[in-house]
Amino acid sequence: MKVTILGSGGWGTALALLLHHNQHTVSLWSHDPEKAKQLELTRENTLLKGVRIPEGICITSDLSCLTDSEMAVFATPSFALRETARKAAPYLAPDAILVSVTKGIERGTHLRMSQIVCGETGGTHPVAVLSGPSHAEEVARALPTGCVAAAQEQGIAETVQRVFMNEVFRVYTHDDMVGVELSGALKNVIALCCGMGDGCGCGDNARALLMTRALTELSRLVEKLGGRRDTLAGLAGVGDLIVTCTSMHSRNHRAGILIGQGKSAEEAMREVGAVVEGYYAAQSAQELSRELHVEMPICDAVYSILLRGTPVKEAVHGLMNRLPRKESDSSWVS
Ligand SMILES: NC(=O)c1ccc[n+]([C@@H]2O[C@H](COP(=O)([O-])OP(=O)(O)OC[C@H]3O[C@@H](n4cnc5c(N)ncnc54)[C@H](O)[C@@H]3O)[C@@H](O)[C@H]2O)c1
Protein backbone atom coordinates (compact mmCIF):
# COMPACT_ATOMS: atom_id res chain seq x y z
CA MET A 1 0.00 0.00 0.00
CA LYS A 2 1.18 3.59 -0.60
CA VAL A 3 1.03 5.60 2.62
CA THR A 4 1.86 9.25 3.27
CA ILE A 5 2.68 10.38 6.79
CA LEU A 6 1.95 14.03 7.44
CA GLY A 7 4.29 15.31 10.15
CA SER A 8 7.95 14.34 10.47
CA GLY A 9 8.35 14.66 14.24
CA GLY A 10 9.32 11.75 16.47
CA TRP A 11 6.05 9.87 16.03
CA GLY A 12 5.64 10.45 12.29
CA THR A 13 9.19 9.25 11.72
CA ALA A 14 8.80 6.15 13.94
CA LEU A 15 5.62 5.19 12.08
CA ALA A 16 7.34 5.73 8.72
CA LEU A 17 10.01 3.23 9.81
CA LEU A 18 7.35 0.75 10.97
CA LEU A 19 5.36 0.98 7.73
CA HIS A 20 8.50 0.76 5.60
CA HIS A 21 9.42 -2.40 7.52
CA ASN A 22 5.91 -3.70 6.72
CA GLN A 23 6.76 -3.36 3.00
CA HIS A 24 4.55 -0.34 2.32
CA THR A 25 5.65 2.50 0.05
CA VAL A 26 6.10 5.39 2.46
CA SER A 27 6.36 9.16 2.02
CA LEU A 28 7.20 11.26 5.08
CA TRP A 29 5.98 14.84 4.68
CA SER A 30 7.33 17.81 6.56
CA HIS A 31 5.59 21.21 6.50
CA ASP A 32 8.99 22.86 6.48
CA PRO A 33 11.03 22.45 3.24
CA GLU A 34 14.27 23.19 5.13
CA LYS A 35 13.51 20.45 7.64
CA ALA A 36 12.67 18.02 4.83
CA LYS A 37 16.00 18.85 3.13
CA GLN A 38 17.89 18.36 6.38
CA LEU A 39 16.19 15.02 7.08
CA GLU A 40 16.88 13.89 3.52
CA LEU A 41 20.54 14.79 3.98
CA THR A 42 21.12 13.27 7.41
CA ARG A 43 18.58 10.43 7.27
CA GLU A 44 18.26 10.82 11.03
CA ASN A 45 15.58 12.54 13.13
CA THR A 46 17.28 14.33 16.03
CA LEU A 47 14.47 13.09 18.32
CA LEU A 48 15.39 9.48 17.44
CA LYS A 49 19.17 9.62 17.64
CA GLY A 50 21.02 6.65 16.18
CA VAL A 51 18.07 5.39 14.11
CA ARG A 52 18.72 5.60 10.37
CA ILE A 53 15.83 6.47 8.06
CA PRO A 54 16.19 4.07 5.10
CA GLU A 55 16.61 5.51 1.57
CA GLY A 56 13.38 3.72 0.61
CA ILE A 57 11.36 6.26 2.63
CA CYS A 58 10.67 9.33 0.49
CA ILE A 59 11.12 12.53 2.51
CA THR A 60 9.27 15.48 1.04
CA SER A 61 7.60 18.82 1.68
CA ASP A 62 5.40 18.43 -1.42
CA LEU A 63 1.82 17.36 -0.72
CA SER A 64 1.38 15.94 -4.23
CA CYS A 65 2.70 12.65 -2.79
CA LEU A 66 -0.86 12.27 -1.45
CA THR A 67 -2.53 11.99 -4.83
CA ASP A 68 -1.89 8.26 -5.20
CA SER A 69 -1.69 7.39 -1.48
CA GLU A 70 -4.25 4.88 -0.27
CA MET A 71 -3.71 5.98 3.32
CA ALA A 72 -2.80 9.34 4.87
CA VAL A 73 -1.57 9.35 8.46
CA PHE A 74 -1.90 12.65 10.33
CA ALA A 75 1.01 12.86 12.79
CA THR A 76 1.38 16.59 13.50
CA PRO A 77 1.02 18.16 16.95
CA SER A 78 -2.62 18.98 17.71
CA PHE A 79 -2.15 22.74 17.19
CA ALA A 80 -1.09 22.12 13.56
CA LEU A 81 -3.63 19.44 12.64
CA ARG A 82 -6.41 21.65 11.29
CA GLU A 83 -4.04 23.64 9.08
CA THR A 84 -2.39 20.43 7.84
CA ALA A 85 -5.70 18.69 7.08
CA ARG A 86 -6.91 21.79 5.23
CA LYS A 87 -3.74 21.92 3.11
CA ALA A 88 -3.85 18.17 2.45
CA ALA A 89 -7.54 18.00 1.45
CA PRO A 90 -7.21 18.97 -2.23
CA TYR A 91 -4.50 16.34 -2.81
CA LEU A 92 -6.24 13.35 -1.20
CA ALA A 93 -7.16 10.38 -3.39
CA PRO A 94 -10.97 9.99 -3.31
CA ASP A 95 -10.91 6.62 -1.51
CA ALA A 96 -7.93 7.24 0.79
CA ILE A 97 -8.28 6.12 4.40
CA LEU A 98 -7.31 8.87 6.85
CA VAL A 99 -5.69 7.91 10.15
CA SER A 100 -5.14 10.33 13.01
CA VAL A 101 -2.32 9.51 15.41
CA THR A 102 -2.31 13.01 16.96
CA LYS A 103 -3.34 13.19 20.60
CA GLY A 104 -5.23 16.27 21.68
CA ILE A 105 -8.50 18.17 22.00
CA GLU A 106 -8.73 21.38 19.97
CA ARG A 107 -8.77 24.46 22.14
CA GLY A 108 -11.92 26.55 21.74
CA THR A 109 -13.93 24.02 19.70
CA HIS A 110 -13.15 20.99 21.96
CA LEU A 111 -13.16 18.80 18.88
CA ARG A 112 -11.36 15.47 18.78
CA MET A 113 -8.59 15.10 16.22
CA SER A 114 -10.58 12.75 13.97
CA GLN A 115 -13.42 15.27 13.91
CA ILE A 116 -11.04 17.97 12.69
CA VAL A 117 -9.63 15.69 9.98
CA CYS A 118 -13.14 14.73 8.91
CA GLY A 119 -14.37 18.34 8.88
CA GLU A 120 -11.41 19.73 6.93
CA THR A 121 -11.44 16.97 4.27
CA GLY A 122 -15.11 17.11 3.34
CA GLY A 123 -16.40 14.18 5.40
CA THR A 124 -16.23 11.70 2.52
CA HIS A 125 -13.18 9.68 3.58
CA PRO A 126 -13.18 6.93 6.18
CA VAL A 127 -11.36 8.21 9.28
CA ALA A 128 -9.66 6.04 11.90
CA VAL A 129 -7.42 6.65 14.91
CA LEU A 130 -4.39 4.74 16.14
CA SER A 131 -3.58 5.18 19.82
CA GLY A 132 -2.07 3.42 22.80
CA PRO A 133 1.12 3.16 24.88
CA SER A 134 3.68 3.77 22.15
CA HIS A 135 6.74 5.93 22.66
CA ALA A 136 8.33 6.83 19.34
CA GLU A 137 11.80 6.13 20.77
CA GLU A 138 10.85 2.46 21.34
CA VAL A 139 8.75 1.90 18.21
CA ALA A 140 11.65 3.29 16.13
CA ARG A 141 13.89 0.61 17.69
CA ALA A 142 11.31 -2.13 17.02
CA LEU A 143 10.65 -2.83 20.70
CA PRO A 144 7.40 -4.74 21.45
CA THR A 145 4.41 -2.37 21.46
CA GLY A 146 0.60 -2.63 21.39
CA CYS A 147 -1.99 -0.11 20.16
CA VAL A 148 -5.63 0.08 19.14
CA ALA A 149 -7.03 1.08 15.75
CA ALA A 150 -10.48 2.60 16.23
CA ALA A 151 -13.00 3.41 13.53
CA GLN A 152 -16.75 3.56 13.15
CA GLU A 153 -16.65 0.75 10.60
CA GLN A 154 -15.02 -2.48 11.73
CA GLY A 155 -13.67 -3.04 8.17
CA ILE A 156 -11.70 0.22 8.30
CA ALA A 157 -10.30 -0.59 11.75
CA GLU A 158 -9.22 -3.99 10.38
CA THR A 159 -7.49 -2.38 7.38
CA VAL A 160 -5.53 -0.09 9.71
CA GLN A 161 -4.72 -3.12 11.89
CA ARG A 162 -3.40 -5.02 8.84
CA VAL A 163 -1.30 -2.13 7.60
CA PHE A 164 0.44 -1.33 10.91
CA MET A 165 0.64 -4.71 12.65
CA ASN A 166 3.81 -6.80 12.58
CA GLU A 167 5.79 -9.19 14.78
CA VAL A 168 6.71 -6.44 17.28
CA PHE A 169 3.75 -4.07 16.88
CA ARG A 170 0.38 -5.54 17.92
CA VAL A 171 -2.78 -3.71 16.86
CA TYR A 172 -6.22 -4.48 18.29
CA THR A 173 -9.34 -3.08 16.64
CA HIS A 174 -11.77 -0.89 18.60
CA ASP A 175 -15.11 0.76 17.91
CA ASP A 176 -15.14 3.56 20.50
CA MET A 177 -13.41 6.48 18.78
CA VAL A 178 -14.63 8.93 21.42
CA GLY A 179 -13.19 6.94 24.32
CA VAL A 180 -9.93 6.15 22.54
CA GLU A 181 -9.27 9.75 21.48
CA LEU A 182 -10.29 11.42 24.72
CA SER A 183 -8.24 9.09 26.88
CA GLY A 184 -5.24 9.55 24.56
CA ALA A 185 -5.49 13.33 24.89
CA LEU A 186 -6.26 13.55 28.59
CA LYS A 187 -3.64 11.10 29.84
CA ASN A 188 -1.10 13.79 28.91
CA VAL A 189 -2.67 16.08 31.53
CA ILE A 190 -2.37 13.34 34.12
CA ALA A 191 1.25 12.67 33.10
CA LEU A 192 2.02 16.36 33.68
CA CYS A 193 0.41 16.03 37.09
CA CYS A 194 2.36 12.87 38.00
CA GLY A 195 5.55 14.62 36.90
CA MET A 196 4.72 17.63 39.09
CA GLY A 197 4.21 15.29 42.04
CA ASP A 198 7.49 13.50 41.29
CA GLY A 199 9.30 16.82 40.90
CA CYS A 200 8.23 18.07 44.31
CA GLY A 201 8.98 14.76 46.03
CA CYS A 202 5.46 13.39 46.55
CA GLY A 203 6.55 9.77 46.11
CA ASP A 204 5.30 6.57 44.49
CA ASN A 205 2.10 6.33 46.56
CA ALA A 206 0.99 9.71 45.26
CA ARG A 207 1.68 8.69 41.65
CA ALA A 208 -0.47 5.57 42.03
CA LEU A 209 -3.20 7.62 43.74
CA LEU A 210 -3.23 10.17 40.93
CA MET A 211 -3.26 7.60 38.13
CA THR A 212 -6.07 5.58 39.70
CA ARG A 213 -8.29 8.52 40.57
CA ALA A 214 -7.57 10.02 37.14
CA LEU A 215 -9.24 7.00 35.56
CA THR A 216 -12.38 7.88 37.50
CA GLU A 217 -12.50 11.47 36.34
CA LEU A 218 -11.53 10.69 32.75
CA SER A 219 -14.24 8.05 32.57
CA ARG A 220 -16.83 10.61 33.72
CA LEU A 221 -15.91 12.91 30.85
CA VAL A 222 -15.61 10.12 28.27
CA GLU A 223 -19.08 8.88 29.16
CA LYS A 224 -20.58 12.36 29.11
CA LEU A 225 -19.22 12.88 25.59
CA GLY A 226 -20.61 9.61 24.27
CA GLY A 227 -17.67 7.23 24.81
CA ARG A 228 -17.57 4.07 26.88
CA ARG A 229 -16.12 3.58 30.36
CA ASP A 230 -14.69 0.18 29.48
CA THR A 231 -12.40 1.82 26.89
CA LEU A 232 -10.50 3.30 29.84
CA ALA A 233 -9.60 -0.26 30.90
CA GLY A 234 -7.78 -0.93 27.61
CA LEU A 235 -4.57 0.04 25.85
CA ALA A 236 -5.76 3.52 24.88
CA GLY A 237 -6.85 4.18 28.48
CA VAL A 238 -4.96 2.66 31.38
CA GLY A 239 -2.23 1.33 29.04
CA ASP A 240 -1.30 4.75 27.74
CA LEU A 241 -1.75 6.27 31.20
CA ILE A 242 0.78 3.87 32.72
CA VAL A 243 3.44 4.47 30.09
CA THR A 244 2.98 8.23 29.99
CA CYS A 245 2.94 8.72 33.75
CA THR A 246 5.95 6.54 34.51
CA SER A 247 8.39 6.82 31.61
CA MET A 248 11.16 9.34 31.10
CA HIS A 249 10.41 9.12 27.36
CA SER A 250 7.22 11.05 28.16
CA ARG A 251 7.80 14.74 27.55
CA ASN A 252 4.60 15.54 29.49
CA HIS A 253 5.98 13.68 32.50
CA ARG A 254 9.38 15.37 32.09
CA ALA A 255 7.81 18.83 31.79
CA GLY A 256 5.76 18.08 34.93
CA ILE A 257 8.91 17.14 36.88
CA LEU A 258 10.52 20.47 35.94
CA ILE A 259 7.40 22.37 37.04
CA GLY A 260 7.34 20.36 40.30
CA GLN A 261 10.94 21.43 40.84
CA GLY A 262 9.92 25.07 40.59
CA LYS A 263 10.19 26.01 36.89
CA SER A 264 7.37 27.87 35.16
CA ALA A 265 5.29 26.02 32.53
CA GLU A 266 6.97 28.07 29.78
CA GLU A 267 10.48 27.30 31.07
CA ALA A 268 9.63 23.60 31.36
CA MET A 269 8.26 23.38 27.82
CA ARG A 270 11.30 25.21 26.44
CA GLU A 271 13.61 22.83 28.24
CA VAL A 272 11.75 19.72 27.01
CA GLY A 273 12.08 21.11 23.48
CA ALA A 274 9.19 19.23 21.84
CA VAL A 275 5.41 19.52 21.86
CA VAL A 276 3.90 19.08 25.38
CA GLU A 277 0.34 18.20 24.40
CA GLY A 278 -0.87 18.04 28.03
CA TYR A 279 -0.43 21.81 28.34
CA TYR A 280 -3.07 22.42 25.66
CA ALA A 281 -5.28 19.49 26.70
CA ALA A 282 -5.40 20.83 30.27
CA GLN A 283 -7.11 23.96 29.02
CA SER A 284 -9.68 21.99 27.00
CA ALA A 285 -10.30 19.62 29.91
CA GLN A 286 -10.93 22.51 32.26
CA GLU A 287 -13.37 24.16 29.83
CA LEU A 288 -15.20 20.89 29.17
CA SER A 289 -15.42 20.09 32.86
CA ARG A 290 -17.04 23.51 33.51
CA GLU A 291 -19.40 23.42 30.53
CA LEU A 292 -20.59 19.85 31.05
CA HIS A 293 -20.60 19.97 34.87
CA VAL A 294 -18.25 17.01 35.10
CA GLU A 295 -16.14 16.95 38.26
CA MET A 296 -12.45 16.70 37.26
CA PRO A 297 -10.38 17.77 40.27
CA ILE A 298 -7.01 16.50 38.98
CA CYS A 299 -7.35 18.21 35.60
CA ASP A 300 -8.53 21.37 37.39
CA ALA A 301 -5.46 21.30 39.62
CA VAL A 302 -3.14 20.96 36.60
CA TYR A 303 -4.91 23.84 34.84
CA SER A 304 -4.56 25.99 37.90
CA ILE A 305 -0.82 25.25 38.23
CA LEU A 306 -0.14 25.81 34.51
CA LEU A 307 -2.30 28.81 33.82
CA ARG A 308 -2.90 30.50 37.15
CA GLY A 309 0.51 29.90 38.66
CA THR A 310 -0.83 28.00 41.70
CA PRO A 311 2.15 26.47 43.54
CA VAL A 312 2.30 22.68 43.10
CA LYS A 313 2.32 22.03 46.85
CA GLU A 314 -0.81 24.15 47.31
CA ALA A 315 -2.58 22.17 44.56
CA VAL A 316 -1.54 18.88 46.20
CA HIS A 317 -2.93 20.12 49.51
CA GLY A 318 -6.19 21.04 47.78
CA LEU A 319 -6.55 17.58 46.21
CA MET A 320 -5.72 15.74 49.44
CA ASN A 321 -8.21 17.74 51.46
CA ARG A 322 -11.32 17.29 49.37
CA LEU A 323 -14.40 15.97 51.18
CA PRO A 324 -14.31 12.30 52.24
CA ARG A 325 -16.17 9.92 49.92
CA LYS A 326 -16.69 6.27 49.00
CA GLU A 327 -14.20 5.00 46.45
CA SER A 328 -17.07 3.35 44.59
CA ASP A 329 -18.81 6.71 44.03
CA SER A 330 -18.67 7.09 40.24
CA SER A 331 -15.81 4.62 40.07
CA TRP A 332 -14.47 3.98 36.56
CA VAL A 333 -15.11 0.25 36.93
CA SER A 334 -18.81 0.49 37.80
N1 LIG B 1 6.26 10.94 20.30
C1 LIG B 1 5.52 9.91 20.62
O1 LIG B 1 6.04 8.94 21.19
C2 LIG B 1 4.06 9.87 20.28
C3 LIG B 1 3.38 8.67 20.39
C4 LIG B 1 2.02 8.64 20.09
C5 LIG B 1 1.37 9.81 19.71
N2 LIG B 1 2.07 10.96 19.63
C6 LIG B 1 1.33 12.16 19.20
O2 LIG B 1 1.75 12.49 17.88
C7 LIG B 1 1.68 13.90 17.69
C8 LIG B 1 3.02 14.38 17.15
O3 LIG B 1 3.97 14.14 18.16
P1 LIG B 1 5.53 14.05 17.90
O4 LIG B 1 6.08 13.36 19.06
O5 LIG B 1 5.84 13.51 16.56
O6 LIG B 1 5.88 15.59 17.95
P2 LIG B 1 7.31 16.27 17.75
O7 LIG B 1 7.39 17.38 18.70
O8 LIG B 1 8.36 15.24 17.72
O9 LIG B 1 7.24 16.84 16.27
C9 LIG B 1 6.27 17.66 15.83
C10 LIG B 1 6.47 17.85 14.34
O10 LIG B 1 5.41 18.66 13.88
C11 LIG B 1 5.94 19.56 12.96
N3 LIG B 1 5.16 20.77 12.93
C12 LIG B 1 5.34 21.86 13.71
N4 LIG B 1 4.49 22.84 13.29
C13 LIG B 1 3.81 22.35 12.25
C14 LIG B 1 2.83 22.90 11.37
N5 LIG B 1 2.39 24.16 11.53
N6 LIG B 1 2.32 22.12 10.40
C15 LIG B 1 2.73 20.84 10.25
N7 LIG B 1 3.70 20.27 11.01
C16 LIG B 1 4.20 21.03 12.01
C17 LIG B 1 7.37 19.85 13.44
O11 LIG B 1 8.15 20.15 12.32
C18 LIG B 1 7.77 18.56 14.05
O12 LIG B 1 8.51 17.82 13.12
C19 LIG B 1 1.32 14.51 19.04
O13 LIG B 1 -0.06 14.76 19.08
C20 LIG B 1 1.65 13.40 20.04
O14 LIG B 1 0.85 13.45 21.20
C21 LIG B 1 3.41 11.02 19.89
Side-chain angles (χ1 to χ4, degrees), residues 7-12 29-31 35 47 75-80 83-84 87 101-103 134-137 188 251 274-275 277:
S8 61
W11 193 217
W29 174 85
S30 173
H31 75 298
K35 188 169 176 198
L47 296 161
T76 68
S78 59
F79 69 79
E83 176 197 337
T84 303
K87 283 199 284 200
V101 299
T102 299
K103 291 176 178 168
S134 49
H135 286 313
E137 294 82 349
N188 287 328
R251 50 191 74 161
V275 62
E277 288 283 18

Side-chain angles (χ1 to χ4, degrees), residues 195-210:
M196 291 168 184
D198 290 345
C200 76
C202 277
D204 295 346
N205 295 348
R207 195 183 318 113
L209 171 62
L210 277 172

Side-chain angles (χ1 to χ4, degrees), residues 6-315:
L6 298 157
S8 61
W11 193 217
T13 305
L15 290 176
L17 295 165
L18 172 82
L19 294 176
H20 176 73
H21 172 87
N22 288 2
Q23 315 278 315
H24 300 295
T25 306
V26 181
S27 296
L28 181 59
W29 174 85
S30 173
H31 75 298
D32 178 351
E34 273 312 306
K35 188 169 176 198
K37 247 189 243 154
Q38 186 66 17
L39 261 188
E40 169 93 76
L41 204 70
T42 60
R43 290 271 154 193
E44 186 186 66
N45 187 319
T46 49
L47 296 161
L48 305 172
K49 284 218 162 58
V51 180
R52 187 166 169 74
I53 304 172
E55 301 293 333
I57 295 176
C58 166
I59 298 168
T60 180
S61 58
D62 181 355
L63 283 168
S64 62
C65 60
L66 281 168
T67 53
D68 57 349
S69 289
E70 294 149 271
M71 186 174 279
V73 179
F74 290 84
T76 68
S78 59
F79 69 79
L81 183 70
R82 184 176 287 287
E83 176 197 337
T84 303
R86 188 175 297 160
K87 283 199 284 200
Y91 296 92
L92 291 171
D95 48 2
I97 296 176
L98 314 183
V99 182
S100 164
V101 299
T102 299
K103 291 176 178 168
I105 303 172
E106 191 175 47
R107 276 186 299 174
T109 67
H110 305 148
L111 290 174
R112 289 176 283 111
M113 300 295 106
S114 69
Q115 292 176 303
I116 296 175
V117 169
C118 188
E120 289 295 338
T121 56
T124 53
H125 297 270
V127 179
V129 301
L130 182 78
S131 190
S134 49
H135 286 313
E137 294 82 349
E138 297 189 0
V139 171
R141 290 177 173 80
L143 295 178
T145 300
C147 278
V148 297
Q152 263 159 11
E153 275 175 58
Q154 175 65 13
I156 296 299
E158 283 170 9
T159 302
V160 176
Q161 178 183 49
R162 241 186 343 269
V163 169
F164 283 86
M165 187 149 154
N166 66 29
E167 66 286 2
V168 291
F169 194 83
R170 276 194 73 70
V171 182
Y172 297 83
T173 61
H174 212 297
D175 59 0
D176 177 16
M177 291 177 77
V178 176
V180 165
E181 288 192 276
L182 288 178
S183 40
L186 294 170
K187 56 91 199 189
N188 287 328
V189 183
I190 310 304
L192 267 171
C193 195
C194 287
M196 291 168 184
D198 290 345
C200 76
C202 277
D204 295 346
N205 295 348
R207 195 183 318 113
L209 171 62
L210 277 172
M211 288 167 67
T212 311
R213 292 305 302 171
L215 285 168
T216 301
E217 69 178 66
L218 299 196
S219 69
R220 280 189 209 119
L221 186 67
V222 163
E223 204 167 39
K224 189 86 175 189
L225 288 168
R228 294 202 312 267
R229 261 168 199 254
D230 61 3
T231 301
L232 271 296
L235 285 167
V238 69
D240 209 355
L241 194 69
I242 291 170
V243 85
T244 316
C245 293
T246 60
S247 167
M248 283 308 280
H249 287 314
S250 164
R251 50 191 74 161
N252 290 280
H253 187 214
R254 285 205 313 272
I257 291 175
L258 294 169
I259 296 167
Q261 289 169 343
K263 301 229 154 109
S264 70
E266 289 70 26
E267 284 168 333
M269 290 198 291
R270 240 193 330 274
E271 197 164 322
V272 166
V275 62
V276 178
E277 288 283 18
Y279 179 80
Y280 307 103
Q283 297 172 51
S284 298
Q286 202 264 356
E287 288 162 13
L288 281 168
S289 144
R290 289 274 142 90
E291 278 168 27
L292 302 170
H293 307 290
V294 177
E295 206 184 353
M296 300 183 74
I298 301 173
C299 289
D300 277 351
V302 175
Y303 175 85
S304 156
I305 293 165
L306 293 177
L307 288 119
R308 296 211 185 100
T310 302
V312 174
K313 289 212 163 132
E314 190 181 316

